[in-house]
Short mmCIF file of all heavy atoms in Angstrom, two decimals:
data_model
loop_
_atom_site.label_atom_id
_atom_site.label_comp_id
_atom_site.label_asym_id
_atom_site.label_seq_id
_atom_site.Cartn_x
_atom_site.Cartn_y
_atom_site.Cartn_z
N MET J 404 9.22 -44.08 -15.41
CA MET J 404 8.51 -43.57 -14.22
C MET J 404 7.71 -42.21 -14.54
O MET J 404 8.37 -41.42 -15.16
CB MET J 404 9.68 -43.23 -13.14
CG MET J 404 9.18 -42.82 -11.85
SD MET J 404 10.52 -42.65 -10.67
CE MET J 404 9.77 -43.61 -9.39
N PRO J 405 6.48 -42.23 -14.16
CA PRO J 405 5.69 -41.05 -14.44
C PRO J 405 6.01 -39.84 -13.72
O PRO J 405 6.47 -39.93 -12.59
CB PRO J 405 4.23 -41.55 -14.23
CG PRO J 405 4.35 -42.66 -13.19
CD PRO J 405 5.67 -43.24 -13.48
N LYS J 406 5.78 -38.64 -14.35
CA LYS J 406 6.22 -37.41 -13.74
C LYS J 406 5.21 -37.18 -12.65
O LYS J 406 4.03 -37.47 -12.77
CB LYS J 406 6.23 -36.30 -14.63
CG LYS J 406 7.28 -36.28 -15.67
CD LYS J 406 7.32 -34.98 -16.50
CE LYS J 406 8.34 -35.01 -17.58
NZ LYS J 406 8.34 -33.79 -18.35
N SER J 407 5.59 -36.70 -11.53
CA SER J 407 4.69 -36.33 -10.41
C SER J 407 3.95 -35.11 -10.60
O SER J 407 4.52 -34.04 -11.24
CB SER J 407 5.33 -36.25 -9.05
OG SER J 407 6.33 -35.14 -8.96
N LYS J 408 2.66 -35.09 -10.47
CA LYS J 408 1.89 -33.97 -10.69
C LYS J 408 1.88 -33.02 -9.43
O LYS J 408 1.82 -33.41 -8.27
CB LYS J 408 0.40 -34.28 -11.05
CG LYS J 408 0.24 -35.06 -12.33
CD LYS J 408 -1.16 -35.29 -12.48
CE LYS J 408 -1.35 -36.08 -13.76
NZ LYS J 408 -2.79 -36.33 -14.15
N LYS J 409 2.08 -31.68 -9.84
CA LYS J 409 2.19 -30.65 -8.68
C LYS J 409 0.61 -30.54 -8.20
O LYS J 409 -0.33 -30.38 -8.99
CB LYS J 409 2.56 -29.36 -9.22
CG LYS J 409 3.97 -29.40 -9.37
CD LYS J 409 4.53 -27.85 -9.60
CE LYS J 409 5.94 -27.87 -9.94
NZ LYS J 409 6.49 -26.56 -10.24
N LYS J 410 0.46 -30.42 -6.88
CA LYS J 410 -0.83 -30.27 -6.40
C LYS J 410 -1.07 -28.59 -6.38
O LYS J 410 -0.21 -27.94 -5.97
CB LYS J 410 -1.00 -30.72 -4.97
CG LYS J 410 -0.85 -32.19 -4.80
CD LYS J 410 -1.28 -32.59 -3.39
CE LYS J 410 -1.22 -34.10 -3.37
NZ LYS J 410 -1.60 -34.64 -1.97
N LEU J 411 -2.21 -28.33 -7.04
CA LEU J 411 -2.63 -26.92 -7.12
C LEU J 411 -3.25 -26.48 -5.81
O LEU J 411 -4.06 -27.21 -5.33
CB LEU J 411 -3.46 -26.66 -8.36
CG LEU J 411 -2.79 -26.94 -9.70
CD1 LEU J 411 -3.76 -26.80 -10.77
CD2 LEU J 411 -1.60 -26.05 -9.95
N ALA J 412 -3.08 -25.25 -5.40
CA ALA J 412 -3.70 -24.73 -4.18
C ALA J 412 -5.09 -24.55 -4.67
O ALA J 412 -5.32 -24.11 -5.77
CB ALA J 412 -3.07 -23.50 -3.79
N PRO J 413 -6.08 -24.75 -3.63
CA PRO J 413 -7.53 -24.50 -4.07
C PRO J 413 -7.78 -22.96 -4.43
O PRO J 413 -7.12 -22.20 -3.80
CB PRO J 413 -8.27 -24.92 -2.87
CG PRO J 413 -7.17 -25.08 -1.78
CD PRO J 413 -5.89 -25.23 -2.35
N ILE J 414 -8.52 -22.69 -5.34
CA ILE J 414 -8.83 -21.39 -5.65
C ILE J 414 -9.71 -20.72 -4.74
O ILE J 414 -10.82 -21.27 -4.45
CB ILE J 414 -9.34 -21.25 -7.17
CG1 ILE J 414 -8.41 -21.80 -8.17
CG2 ILE J 414 -9.83 -19.90 -7.55
CD1 ILE J 414 -8.85 -21.98 -9.52
N ASP J 415 -9.39 -19.64 -4.12
CA ASP J 415 -10.24 -18.94 -3.28
C ASP J 415 -11.14 -17.87 -3.98
O ASP J 415 -10.66 -16.96 -4.61
CB ASP J 415 -9.34 -18.21 -2.18
CG ASP J 415 -10.20 -17.66 -1.05
OD1 ASP J 415 -11.40 -17.64 -1.08
OD2 ASP J 415 -9.56 -17.12 -0.13
N PRO J 416 -12.34 -18.06 -3.92
CA PRO J 416 -13.20 -17.13 -4.70
C PRO J 416 -13.27 -15.70 -4.16
O PRO J 416 -13.52 -14.79 -4.88
CB PRO J 416 -14.65 -17.73 -4.58
CG PRO J 416 -14.62 -18.61 -3.43
CD PRO J 416 -13.23 -19.00 -3.18
N ASP J 417 -12.74 -15.39 -2.96
CA ASP J 417 -12.63 -14.21 -2.31
C ASP J 417 -11.51 -13.50 -2.64
O ASP J 417 -11.45 -12.22 -2.47
CB ASP J 417 -12.85 -14.28 -0.77
CG ASP J 417 -14.20 -14.81 -0.32
OD1 ASP J 417 -15.10 -14.50 -0.90
OD2 ASP J 417 -14.38 -15.29 0.75
N TYR J 418 -10.51 -14.14 -3.26
CA TYR J 418 -9.19 -13.48 -3.59
C TYR J 418 -9.30 -12.74 -4.87
O TYR J 418 -9.52 -13.35 -5.96
CB TYR J 418 -8.13 -14.48 -3.66
CG TYR J 418 -6.63 -13.86 -3.99
CD1 TYR J 418 -6.09 -13.31 -2.89
CD2 TYR J 418 -6.23 -14.01 -5.17
CE1 TYR J 418 -4.86 -12.74 -3.01
CE2 TYR J 418 -4.92 -13.34 -5.40
CZ TYR J 418 -4.25 -12.74 -4.33
OH TYR J 418 -2.98 -12.13 -4.52
N LYS J 419 -9.10 -11.38 -4.88
CA LYS J 419 -9.27 -10.66 -6.14
C LYS J 419 -8.00 -9.74 -6.05
O LYS J 419 -7.93 -8.74 -5.29
CB LYS J 419 -10.50 -9.85 -6.23
CG LYS J 419 -11.71 -10.68 -6.36
CD LYS J 419 -13.01 -10.01 -6.36
CE LYS J 419 -14.18 -10.92 -6.47
NZ LYS J 419 -14.64 -11.32 -5.18
N PRO J 420 -6.90 -9.99 -6.74
CA PRO J 420 -5.64 -9.26 -6.67
C PRO J 420 -5.84 -7.80 -7.06
O PRO J 420 -6.44 -7.44 -8.07
CB PRO J 420 -4.65 -9.92 -7.45
CG PRO J 420 -5.53 -10.77 -8.38
CD PRO J 420 -6.73 -11.05 -7.81
N TYR J 421 -5.25 -6.91 -6.19
CA TYR J 421 -5.21 -5.46 -6.46
C TYR J 421 -4.03 -4.76 -5.81
O TYR J 421 -3.35 -5.41 -5.00
CB TYR J 421 -6.51 -4.76 -6.02
CG TYR J 421 -6.81 -4.90 -4.49
CD1 TYR J 421 -6.17 -4.01 -3.62
CD2 TYR J 421 -7.36 -6.13 -3.96
CE1 TYR J 421 -6.35 -4.15 -2.18
CE2 TYR J 421 -7.65 -6.15 -2.67
CZ TYR J 421 -7.04 -5.18 -1.73
OH TYR J 421 -7.29 -5.27 -0.31
N ILE J 422 -3.74 -3.58 -6.22
CA ILE J 422 -2.63 -2.76 -5.62
C ILE J 422 -3.44 -1.60 -4.94
O ILE J 422 -4.56 -1.32 -5.39
CB ILE J 422 -1.63 -2.28 -6.43
CG1 ILE J 422 -2.12 -1.41 -7.72
CG2 ILE J 422 -0.66 -3.52 -6.90
CD1 ILE J 422 -1.08 -0.87 -8.48
N VAL J 423 -2.86 -0.98 -4.05
CA VAL J 423 -3.45 0.18 -3.29
C VAL J 423 -2.71 1.43 -3.72
O VAL J 423 -1.44 1.50 -3.61
CB VAL J 423 -3.46 -0.05 -1.74
CG1 VAL J 423 -4.06 1.25 -1.01
CG2 VAL J 423 -4.29 -1.18 -1.42
N LEU J 424 -3.42 2.55 -4.00
CA LEU J 424 -2.80 3.80 -4.45
C LEU J 424 -3.34 4.88 -3.34
O LEU J 424 -4.37 4.84 -3.03
CB LEU J 424 -3.07 4.26 -5.79
CG LEU J 424 -2.77 3.20 -6.90
CD1 LEU J 424 -3.78 3.39 -8.01
CD2 LEU J 424 -1.41 3.55 -7.28
N ASN J 425 -2.46 5.77 -3.03
CA ASN J 425 -2.91 6.93 -2.19
C ASN J 425 -3.30 8.11 -3.06
O ASN J 425 -3.21 8.04 -4.31
CB ASN J 425 -1.81 7.37 -1.20
CG ASN J 425 -0.55 7.84 -1.76
OD1 ASN J 425 -0.45 8.19 -2.96
ND2 ASN J 425 0.46 8.08 -0.91
N ASP J 426 -3.59 9.26 -2.42
CA ASP J 426 -4.10 10.42 -3.29
C ASP J 426 -3.03 11.03 -4.05
O ASP J 426 -3.36 11.89 -4.91
CB ASP J 426 -4.74 11.33 -2.34
CG ASP J 426 -3.89 11.86 -1.03
OD1 ASP J 426 -2.75 11.24 -0.92
OD2 ASP J 426 -4.24 12.79 -0.37
N LYS J 427 -1.75 10.71 -3.84
CA LYS J 427 -0.53 11.18 -4.57
C LYS J 427 -0.35 10.23 -5.76
O LYS J 427 0.83 10.26 -6.32
CB LYS J 427 0.57 11.52 -3.71
CG LYS J 427 0.34 12.52 -2.62
CD LYS J 427 1.41 12.60 -1.74
CE LYS J 427 1.20 13.56 -0.53
NZ LYS J 427 2.02 13.45 0.54
N LEU J 428 -1.09 9.08 -5.96
CA LEU J 428 -0.84 8.11 -6.85
C LEU J 428 0.40 7.36 -6.65
O LEU J 428 1.13 6.79 -7.43
CB LEU J 428 -0.94 8.66 -8.22
CG LEU J 428 -2.22 9.20 -8.67
CD1 LEU J 428 -2.12 9.56 -10.12
CD2 LEU J 428 -3.37 8.15 -8.45
N GLN J 429 0.83 7.15 -5.26
CA GLN J 429 1.90 6.40 -4.86
C GLN J 429 1.40 5.03 -4.50
O GLN J 429 0.19 4.91 -4.01
CB GLN J 429 2.58 6.98 -3.61
CG GLN J 429 3.32 8.31 -3.97
CD GLN J 429 3.84 8.96 -2.78
OE1 GLN J 429 3.22 8.90 -1.69
NE2 GLN J 429 5.07 9.57 -2.88
N VAL J 430 2.09 4.03 -4.68
CA VAL J 430 1.59 2.70 -4.39
C VAL J 430 1.98 2.27 -2.97
O VAL J 430 2.99 2.63 -2.36
CB VAL J 430 2.26 1.49 -5.41
CG1 VAL J 430 1.70 1.78 -6.82
CG2 VAL J 430 3.66 1.57 -5.39
N TRP J 431 1.15 1.29 -2.38
CA TRP J 431 1.43 0.76 -1.00
C TRP J 431 2.59 -0.21 -1.14
O TRP J 431 2.50 -1.08 -1.94
CB TRP J 431 0.19 0.27 -0.47
CG TRP J 431 0.23 -0.34 0.94
CD1 TRP J 431 0.33 0.40 2.00
CD2 TRP J 431 0.33 -1.62 1.28
NE1 TRP J 431 0.51 -0.41 3.07
CE2 TRP J 431 0.53 -1.72 2.66
CE3 TRP J 431 0.41 -2.88 0.58
CZ2 TRP J 431 0.69 -2.94 3.29
CZ3 TRP J 431 0.51 -3.96 1.19
CH2 TRP J 431 0.70 -4.13 2.64
N ILE J 432 3.48 -0.09 -0.17
CA ILE J 432 4.69 -0.95 -0.18
C ILE J 432 4.75 -1.66 1.09
O ILE J 432 5.65 -2.67 1.12
CB ILE J 432 5.95 -0.32 -0.56
CG1 ILE J 432 6.30 0.73 0.39
CG2 ILE J 432 6.00 0.19 -1.96
CD1 ILE J 432 7.73 1.22 0.21
N GLY J 433 4.01 -1.41 2.13
CA GLY J 433 4.15 -2.14 3.39
C GLY J 433 3.72 -1.28 4.65
O GLY J 433 3.15 -0.31 4.38
N LEU J 434 3.95 -1.86 5.71
CA LEU J 434 3.59 -1.31 6.97
C LEU J 434 4.88 -0.99 7.83
O LEU J 434 5.75 -1.50 7.64
CB LEU J 434 2.75 -2.29 7.86
CG LEU J 434 1.36 -2.71 7.12
CD1 LEU J 434 0.78 -3.87 7.98
CD2 LEU J 434 0.49 -1.51 6.93
N ARG J 435 4.73 0.07 8.67
CA ARG J 435 5.83 0.47 9.59
C ARG J 435 5.17 0.60 10.98
O ARG J 435 4.02 0.74 11.11
CB ARG J 435 6.33 1.74 9.03
CG ARG J 435 7.61 2.16 9.74
CD ARG J 435 8.21 3.33 9.22
NE ARG J 435 8.92 2.95 7.97
CZ ARG J 435 9.48 3.82 7.03
NH1 ARG J 435 9.22 5.20 7.20
NH2 ARG J 435 10.07 3.40 6.05
N ASP J 436 6.05 0.67 11.96
CA ASP J 436 5.72 0.89 13.33
C ASP J 436 4.79 -0.10 13.94
O ASP J 436 3.72 0.11 14.38
CB ASP J 436 5.12 2.25 13.49
CG ASP J 436 6.19 3.39 13.20
OD1 ASP J 436 7.32 3.10 13.29
OD2 ASP J 436 5.63 4.43 12.82
N GLY J 437 5.09 -1.37 13.55
CA GLY J 437 4.22 -2.57 14.10
C GLY J 437 2.84 -2.61 13.48
O GLY J 437 1.89 -2.94 14.03
N GLY J 438 2.84 -2.18 12.14
CA GLY J 438 1.50 -2.23 11.56
C GLY J 438 0.66 -1.07 11.77
O GLY J 438 -0.73 -1.06 11.30
N ARG J 439 1.13 -0.06 12.42
CA ARG J 439 0.28 1.23 12.70
C ARG J 439 0.42 2.32 11.73
O ARG J 439 -0.37 3.26 11.77
CB ARG J 439 0.75 1.74 14.04
CG ARG J 439 0.37 0.76 15.17
CD ARG J 439 0.74 1.41 16.59
NE ARG J 439 2.06 1.78 16.77
CZ ARG J 439 2.96 1.16 17.38
NH1 ARG J 439 2.52 0.00 18.00
NH2 ARG J 439 4.23 1.52 17.54
N ARG J 440 1.34 2.13 10.72
CA ARG J 440 1.49 3.18 9.64
C ARG J 440 1.67 2.59 8.33
O ARG J 440 2.44 1.66 8.05
CB ARG J 440 2.70 4.06 10.03
CG ARG J 440 2.70 5.34 9.30
CD ARG J 440 3.85 6.18 9.81
NE ARG J 440 4.59 6.46 8.60
CZ ARG J 440 5.91 6.89 8.73
NH1 ARG J 440 6.44 6.97 9.88
NH2 ARG J 440 6.62 7.02 7.57
N ALA J 441 0.91 3.04 7.32
CA ALA J 441 1.08 2.49 5.94
C ALA J 441 2.12 3.31 5.23
O ALA J 441 2.24 4.52 5.36
CB ALA J 441 -0.26 2.78 5.19
N VAL J 442 2.96 2.54 4.47
CA VAL J 442 4.01 3.20 3.72
C VAL J 442 3.76 3.17 2.27
O VAL J 442 3.45 2.13 1.74
CB VAL J 442 5.43 2.54 4.07
CG1 VAL J 442 6.54 3.19 3.33
CG2 VAL J 442 5.67 2.48 5.53
N PHE J 443 4.07 4.26 1.49
CA PHE J 443 3.66 4.36 0.12
C PHE J 443 5.02 4.82 -0.50
O PHE J 443 5.88 5.41 -0.12
CB PHE J 443 2.62 5.42 -0.20
CG PHE J 443 1.24 4.90 0.31
CD1 PHE J 443 0.77 5.12 1.66
CD2 PHE J 443 0.36 4.17 -0.54
CE1 PHE J 443 -0.47 4.81 2.01
CE2 PHE J 443 -0.89 3.80 -0.10
CZ PHE J 443 -1.17 3.96 1.18
N SER J 444 5.13 4.44 -1.77
CA SER J 444 6.28 4.72 -2.68
C SER J 444 5.87 5.05 -4.12
O SER J 444 4.94 4.77 -4.61
CB SER J 444 7.20 3.59 -2.76
OG SER J 444 8.21 3.79 -3.56
N SER J 445 6.70 5.96 -4.74
CA SER J 445 6.40 6.40 -6.08
C SER J 445 6.95 5.29 -7.14
O SER J 445 6.74 5.33 -8.36
CB SER J 445 7.16 7.61 -6.44
OG SER J 445 6.59 8.76 -5.69
N ASN J 446 7.64 4.30 -6.60
CA ASN J 446 8.21 3.22 -7.41
C ASN J 446 7.26 2.14 -7.57
O ASN J 446 6.87 1.31 -6.63
CB ASN J 446 9.51 2.62 -6.71
CG ASN J 446 10.10 1.57 -7.54
OD1 ASN J 446 9.66 1.17 -8.60
ND2 ASN J 446 11.21 0.98 -7.10
N PHE J 447 6.56 2.19 -8.73
CA PHE J 447 5.41 1.28 -9.07
C PHE J 447 5.84 -0.19 -8.97
O PHE J 447 5.04 -0.99 -8.54
CB PHE J 447 4.81 1.50 -10.36
CG PHE J 447 3.69 0.95 -10.69
CD1 PHE J 447 2.39 1.35 -10.34
CD2 PHE J 447 3.55 -0.36 -11.50
CE1 PHE J 447 1.23 0.84 -10.52
CE2 PHE J 447 2.35 -0.90 -11.73
CZ PHE J 447 1.17 -0.41 -11.30
N ASP J 448 7.23 -0.57 -9.19
CA ASP J 448 7.55 -2.01 -9.14
C ASP J 448 7.58 -2.46 -7.82
O ASP J 448 7.59 -3.69 -7.64
CB ASP J 448 8.99 -2.00 -9.82
CG ASP J 448 8.95 -1.72 -11.31
OD1 ASP J 448 7.84 -2.05 -11.97
OD2 ASP J 448 9.93 -1.34 -11.89
N SER J 449 7.58 -1.62 -6.78
CA SER J 449 7.69 -2.12 -5.40
C SER J 449 6.42 -2.33 -4.80
O SER J 449 6.32 -2.66 -3.58
CB SER J 449 8.60 -1.25 -4.56
OG SER J 449 8.05 -0.02 -4.49
N ALA J 450 5.31 -2.29 -5.58
CA ALA J 450 3.97 -2.32 -4.95
C ALA J 450 3.67 -3.80 -4.40
O ALA J 450 4.14 -4.77 -5.07
CB ALA J 450 2.92 -2.00 -6.07
N LYS J 451 2.99 -3.80 -3.33
CA LYS J 451 2.62 -5.12 -2.75
C LYS J 451 1.22 -5.47 -3.32
O LYS J 451 0.42 -4.53 -3.30
CB LYS J 451 2.62 -5.01 -1.17
CG LYS J 451 3.91 -4.76 -0.57
CD LYS J 451 4.82 -5.79 -0.65
CE LYS J 451 6.08 -5.39 0.03
NZ LYS J 451 6.86 -6.32 0.69
N ILE J 452 1.05 -6.70 -3.76
CA ILE J 452 -0.23 -7.20 -4.26
C ILE J 452 -1.16 -7.69 -3.07
O ILE J 452 -0.67 -8.50 -2.18
CB ILE J 452 -0.18 -8.19 -5.39
CG1 ILE J 452 0.67 -7.57 -6.35
CG2 ILE J 452 -1.50 -8.69 -5.82
CD1 ILE J 452 1.08 -8.51 -7.62
N LEU J 453 -2.29 -7.12 -2.93
CA LEU J 453 -3.19 -7.67 -1.94
C LEU J 453 -4.31 -8.34 -2.62
O LEU J 453 -4.54 -8.27 -3.93
CB LEU J 453 -3.78 -6.52 -1.18
CG LEU J 453 -2.65 -5.61 -0.33
CD1 LEU J 453 -3.34 -4.54 0.36
CD2 LEU J 453 -1.92 -6.50 0.57
N GLY J 454 -5.15 -8.97 -1.78
CA GLY J 454 -6.27 -9.84 -2.52
C GLY J 454 -7.66 -9.73 -1.72
O GLY J 454 -8.52 -10.38 -2.23
N TYR J 455 -7.73 -9.24 -0.49
CA TYR J 455 -8.83 -9.39 0.42
C TYR J 455 -9.27 -8.00 0.86
O TYR J 455 -8.51 -7.17 1.04
CB TYR J 455 -8.52 -10.31 1.57
CG TYR J 455 -8.18 -11.74 1.16
CD1 TYR J 455 -6.98 -12.14 1.11
CD2 TYR J 455 -9.14 -12.60 0.73
CE1 TYR J 455 -6.58 -13.39 0.63
CE2 TYR J 455 -8.88 -13.78 0.33
CZ TYR J 455 -7.55 -14.36 0.28
OH TYR J 455 -7.27 -15.60 -0.18
N GLU J 456 -10.54 -7.91 0.95
CA GLU J 456 -11.26 -6.72 1.37
C GLU J 456 -10.66 -6.26 2.78
O GLU J 456 -10.55 -5.11 3.18
CB GLU J 456 -12.73 -6.73 1.38
CG GLU J 456 -13.36 -5.51 1.75
CD GLU J 456 -13.17 -4.33 0.64
OE1 GLU J 456 -12.93 -4.71 -0.48
OE2 GLU J 456 -13.39 -3.33 1.11
N GLU J 457 -10.53 -7.21 3.71
CA GLU J 457 -10.03 -6.95 5.03
C GLU J 457 -8.64 -6.15 5.10
O GLU J 457 -8.53 -5.29 5.92
CB GLU J 457 -9.98 -8.20 5.94
CG GLU J 457 -11.32 -8.89 6.23
CD GLU J 457 -11.74 -9.71 5.09
OE1 GLU J 457 -10.81 -10.10 4.15
OE2 GLU J 457 -12.73 -10.26 5.06
N GLN J 458 -7.91 -6.45 4.14
CA GLN J 458 -6.45 -5.90 4.05
C GLN J 458 -6.60 -4.40 3.66
O GLN J 458 -6.13 -3.48 4.31
CB GLN J 458 -5.59 -6.75 3.04
CG GLN J 458 -5.34 -7.99 3.42
CD GLN J 458 -4.68 -8.68 2.21
OE1 GLN J 458 -5.21 -8.77 1.19
NE2 GLN J 458 -3.63 -9.45 2.54
N PHE J 459 -7.57 -4.15 2.81
CA PHE J 459 -7.79 -2.83 2.20
C PHE J 459 -8.45 -2.00 3.34
O PHE J 459 -8.12 -0.81 3.64
CB PHE J 459 -8.78 -2.81 0.97
CG PHE J 459 -9.02 -1.45 0.41
CD1 PHE J 459 -7.94 -0.78 -0.14
CD2 PHE J 459 -10.19 -0.95 0.61
CE1 PHE J 459 -8.26 0.61 -0.73
CE2 PHE J 459 -10.44 0.37 0.13
CZ PHE J 459 -9.43 1.10 -0.51
N VAL J 460 -9.34 -2.53 4.16
CA VAL J 460 -9.97 -1.85 5.19
C VAL J 460 -9.00 -1.36 6.19
O VAL J 460 -8.88 -0.28 6.66
CB VAL J 460 -11.11 -2.64 5.82
CG1 VAL J 460 -11.68 -2.02 7.17
CG2 VAL J 460 -12.30 -2.81 4.91
N HIS J 461 -8.19 -2.31 6.62
CA HIS J 461 -6.93 -1.92 7.45
C HIS J 461 -5.99 -0.88 7.05
O HIS J 461 -5.69 0.05 7.78
CB HIS J 461 -6.08 -3.18 7.84
CG HIS J 461 -5.17 -2.96 8.75
ND1 HIS J 461 -5.32 -2.75 10.10
CD2 HIS J 461 -3.66 -2.79 8.64
CE1 HIS J 461 -4.14 -2.48 10.74
NE2 HIS J 461 -3.21 -2.64 9.84
N ILE J 462 -5.62 -0.82 5.80
CA ILE J 462 -4.89 0.23 5.11
C ILE J 462 -5.68 1.58 5.21
O ILE J 462 -5.07 2.64 5.41
CB ILE J 462 -4.33 -0.21 3.72
CG1 ILE J 462 -3.48 -1.30 3.84
CG2 ILE J 462 -3.76 1.02 3.09
CD1 ILE J 462 -3.00 -1.86 2.57
N CYS J 463 -6.99 1.46 4.90
CA CYS J 463 -7.76 2.77 5.01
C CYS J 463 -7.76 3.31 6.35
O CYS J 463 -7.63 4.59 6.50
CB CYS J 463 -9.18 2.41 4.51
SG CYS J 463 -9.42 2.07 2.82
N ARG J 464 -7.87 2.45 7.35
CA ARG J 464 -7.81 2.89 8.72
C ARG J 464 -6.55 3.64 9.27
O ARG J 464 -6.50 4.58 9.91
CB ARG J 464 -8.12 1.83 9.72
CG ARG J 464 -9.48 1.63 9.97
CD ARG J 464 -9.85 0.61 11.03
NE ARG J 464 -10.27 -0.57 10.39
CZ ARG J 464 -9.97 -1.80 10.76
NH1 ARG J 464 -9.17 -1.93 11.75
NH2 ARG J 464 -10.36 -2.79 10.13
N ILE J 465 -5.42 3.11 8.61
CA ILE J 465 -4.01 3.53 9.13
C ILE J 465 -3.47 4.56 8.29
O ILE J 465 -2.47 5.18 8.70
CB ILE J 465 -3.12 2.46 9.49
CG1 ILE J 465 -2.75 1.64 8.24
CG2 ILE J 465 -3.70 1.38 10.55
CD1 ILE J 465 -1.81 0.51 8.39
N SER J 466 -3.98 4.81 7.13
CA SER J 466 -3.33 5.75 6.16
C SER J 466 -3.69 7.22 6.49
O SER J 466 -4.80 7.41 6.93
CB SER J 466 -3.62 5.38 4.74
OG SER J 466 -4.92 5.54 4.50
N ASP J 467 -2.81 8.14 6.06
CA ASP J 467 -3.05 9.41 6.41
C ASP J 467 -4.10 10.25 5.48
O ASP J 467 -4.80 11.03 5.97
CB ASP J 467 -1.77 10.34 6.28
CG ASP J 467 -0.78 9.90 7.51
OD1 ASP J 467 -1.24 9.45 8.46
OD2 ASP J 467 0.37 10.01 7.18
N GLY J 468 -4.17 9.69 4.29
CA GLY J 468 -4.97 10.40 3.16
C GLY J 468 -5.97 9.35 2.76
O GLY J 468 -6.19 8.34 3.23
N GLN J 469 -6.47 9.71 1.48
CA GLN J 469 -7.40 8.87 0.75
C GLN J 469 -6.69 7.75 0.17
O GLN J 469 -5.57 7.98 -0.39
CB GLN J 469 -8.28 9.62 -0.13
CG GLN J 469 -9.32 10.51 0.36
CD GLN J 469 -10.15 11.08 -0.65
OE1 GLN J 469 -9.70 11.37 -1.76
NE2 GLN J 469 -11.48 11.38 -0.31
N VAL J 470 -7.19 6.51 0.04
CA VAL J 470 -6.61 5.51 -0.62
C VAL J 470 -7.56 4.69 -1.64
O VAL J 470 -8.80 5.01 -1.36
CB VAL J 470 -5.97 4.39 0.29
CG1 VAL J 470 -4.81 4.97 1.05
CG2 VAL J 470 -7.00 3.72 1.12
N MET J 471 -7.28 4.15 -2.66
CA MET J 471 -7.99 3.44 -3.60
C MET J 471 -7.39 2.29 -4.09
O MET J 471 -6.20 2.07 -4.09
CB MET J 471 -8.38 4.52 -4.80
CG MET J 471 -7.05 4.79 -5.67
SD MET J 471 -7.64 6.04 -6.85
CE MET J 471 -6.18 6.91 -6.93
N LYS J 472 -8.30 1.29 -4.58
CA LYS J 472 -7.87 0.10 -5.09
C LYS J 472 -7.70 0.15 -6.64
O LYS J 472 -8.46 0.89 -7.22
CB LYS J 472 -8.84 -1.04 -5.00
CG LYS J 472 -9.06 -1.54 -3.58
CD LYS J 472 -9.96 -2.66 -3.64
CE LYS J 472 -10.73 -2.78 -2.28
NZ LYS J 472 -11.67 -3.89 -2.40
N ASP J 473 -6.81 -0.58 -7.08
CA ASP J 473 -6.63 -0.73 -8.63
C ASP J 473 -6.51 -2.28 -8.89
O ASP J 473 -5.37 -2.68 -8.52
CB ASP J 473 -5.38 0.12 -9.18
CG ASP J 473 -5.39 0.07 -10.65
OD1 ASP J 473 -6.40 -0.22 -11.32
OD2 ASP J 473 -4.28 0.42 -11.07
N TYR J 474 -7.61 -2.88 -9.40
CA TYR J 474 -7.46 -4.32 -9.67
C TYR J 474 -6.51 -4.60 -10.75
O TYR J 474 -6.50 -3.88 -11.74
CB TYR J 474 -8.87 -4.80 -9.95
CG TYR J 474 -9.71 -4.89 -8.76
CD1 TYR J 474 -10.69 -3.76 -8.46
CD2 TYR J 474 -9.63 -5.95 -7.78
CE1 TYR J 474 -11.53 -3.70 -7.33
CE2 TYR J 474 -10.41 -5.88 -6.74
CZ TYR J 474 -11.43 -4.83 -6.42
OH TYR J 474 -12.21 -4.78 -5.30
N ILE J 475 -5.85 -5.72 -10.65
CA ILE J 475 -4.89 -6.05 -11.59
C ILE J 475 -5.27 -7.46 -12.27
O ILE J 475 -6.18 -8.30 -11.74
CB ILE J 475 -3.44 -6.22 -11.03
CG1 ILE J 475 -3.33 -7.09 -9.89
CG2 ILE J 475 -2.97 -4.88 -10.78
CD1 ILE J 475 -2.02 -7.39 -9.29
#
């Protein structure tokens, strides 16, 4: 019996993985207060990976200081 092939998800050309860092070089780990506040941490291993520009724009709007992308 032949092995079943896994179906691969289509590659999205707009997806470019990155992490978000604040001005204290802490990584973005999530949202709080119903998505109205960005939460950052010094623990690099807990960073959330994002991939779309719209996500970064939203974090820029709700964060207290400057933020930047670091593509991975």
Side-chain angles (χ1 to χ4, degrees):
M404 182 171 232
K406 290 184 180 179
S407 63
K408 293 183 181 180
K409 288 185 179 180
K410 290 187 178 182
L411 298 175
I414 297 173
D415 185 352
D417 293 332
Y418 184 79
K419 296 175 180 91
Y421 61 88
I422 58 173
V423 177
L424 300 154
N425 66 6
D426 52 353
K427 299 174 189 166
L428 297 181
Q429 296 173 319
V430 293
W431 179 77
I432 60 167
L434 300 173
R435 185 176 283 170
D436 298 331
R439 293 186 299 256
R440 196 172 122 200
V442 181
F443 292 87
S444 170
S445 297
N446 184 358
F447 191 83
D448 293 331
S449 61
K451 302 283 178 150
I452 298 172
L453 300 176
Y455 297 101
E456 185 63 26
E457 295 84 8
Q458 296 168 313
F459 182 70
V460 170
H461 181 70
I462 293 173
C463 288
R464 271 190 254 141
I465 63 173
S466 63
D467 294 333
Q469 291 184 329
V470 295
M471 62 185 145
K472 288 186 207 177
D473 188 15
Y474 288 97
I475 54 174

